[in-house]
Amino acid sequence: MSGTTAASASSFAPRLRIASRVCAAVLGGYTFAWGLVALTTALLFAAQLDFHDAEFSGAVIGLVGYLVVFLWAIAARRLAVVWSVLLVGGAAMAVAASLVQSMLV
């Protein structure tokens, strides 16, 4: 009976790592892309680009950025680094975008 429990416990760990990596790619990638869109839009608007053009360009860059970080999150060796880069990077870009926006007003 204990052999069955050990086998199921050992098969649970890889599944948990895979689920965490997929969550990092999807949710962490979204956070990173959101920060990238906000920062790109704010910087392009600060550079005197029309708001709608800046918004569209930011969305395109964010889409490409999301694809890149999604693939990187799946392929990266260390999951803790992936979570750190995506969450801290996304938050830092969002804060930077907020600072740029506050200087424009």
Side-chain angles (χ1 to χ4, degrees):
M1 189 81 143
S2 64
T4 307
T5 306
S8 63
S10 66
S11 69
F12 181 71
R15 291 179 183 174
L16 186 60
R17 283 193 300 266
I18 291 170
S20 181
R21 187 168 297 275
V22 169
C23 284
V26 173
L27 301 176
Y30 179 79
T31 302
F32 190 88
W34 182 67
L36 184 61
V37 168
L39 183 60
T40 303
T41 302
L43 289 175
L44 289 175
F45 185 70
Q48 304 300 317
L49 193 63
D50 182 53
F51 175 75
H52 295 293
D53 293 336
E55 186 179 35
F56 179 75
S57 298
V60 170
I61 290 171
L63 180 64
V64 172
Y66 182 76
L67 176 63
V68 169
V69 298
F70 184 90
L71 294 173
W72 171 71
I74 297 298
R77 189 170 289 239
R78 300 186 67 197
L79 188 57
V81 172
V82 170
W83 275 109
S84 299
V85 167
L86 294 180
L87 295 180
V88 173
M93 285 188 288
V95 167
S98 181
L99 289 174
V100 170
Q101 289 173 1
S102 68
M103 289 190 291
L104 293 174
V105 177

